[in-house]
């Protein structure tokens, strides 16, 4: 599976962005998808994950109620809708594919290249 993330940018605090992650390969619907982020000098951290069917989602406490993960298996794409953005959301955001909807980066063997999200105060 090859992943291509897009949709990052510069936004003011309180604003919104929608990230997309397009996947190649016909087996996309069999994979669980996750979003992670990494700020400068910090470890990569879990943001959200969604099971292959799309019916069950998981979120980090820091984004719960503000971010929404979704997927369109017909389009081989997973989305991350980010609302009420805060300066502390500034990071490079990565999408990842794996067999389980895990919060751990090492459970995902496939990664996109990352897209920068910058939230100004």
């Amino acid at each position: 599976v090859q992943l291509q993330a897009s949709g990052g940018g510069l936004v003011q605090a309180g604003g919104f962005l929608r990230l997309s992650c397009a996947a190649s390969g016909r087996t996309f619907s069999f994979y669980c998808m996750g979003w992670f982020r990494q700020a400068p000098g910090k470890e990569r951290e879990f943001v959200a994950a969604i099971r292959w069917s799309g019916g069950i989602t998981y979120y980090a406490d820091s984004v719960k109620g503000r971010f929404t993960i979704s997927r369109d298996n017909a389009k081989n794409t997973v989305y991350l809708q980010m609302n009420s953005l805060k300066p502390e959301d500034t990071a490079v955001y990565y999408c990842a594919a794996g067999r389980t909807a895990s919060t751990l980066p090492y459970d995902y063997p496939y990664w996109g290249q990352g897209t920068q999200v910058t939230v100004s105060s």
Side-chain angles (χ1 to χ4, degrees):
V1 177
Q2 292 184 323
L3 306 173
Q4 179 77 33
S6 61
L10 173 64
V11 64
Q12 288 188 330
F16 63 91
L17 284 172
R18 188 175 83 153
L19 306 184
S20 299
C21 177
S24 64
R26 294 178 294 175
T27 59
F28 170 78
S29 60
F30 298 155
Y31 285 91
C32 298
M33 300 297 296
W35 285 98
F36 291 78
R37 65 187 181 188
Q38 188 166 17
K42 294 189 176 182
E43 297 285 320
R44 189 168 297 190
E45 66 172 358
F46 169 76
V47 175
I50 187 167
R51 289 195 181 180
W52 67 271
S53 65
I56 298 177
T57 57
Y58 307 87
Y59 296 94
D61 287 343
S62 59
V63 307
K64 203 171 292 183
R66 300 188 298 122
F67 290 12
T68 302
I69 188 171
S70 62
R71 66 190 297 162
D72 185 338
N73 288 340
K75 295 182 178 180
N76 281 8
T77 302
V78 64
Y79 305 98
L80 185 68
Q81 178 68 43
M82 305 187 296
N83 298 330
S84 303
L85 282 162
K86 305 175 181 180
E88 50 264 43
D89 294 319
T90 295
V92 177
Y93 283 70
Y94 298 89
C95 59
R99 291 299 186 182
T100 62
S102 172
T103 63
L104 302 173
Y106 58 72
D107 283 332
Y108 293 86
Y110 305 104
W111 289 83
Q113 86 288 2
T115 184
Q116 177 71 47
V117 172
T118 303
V119 184
S120 63
S121 57

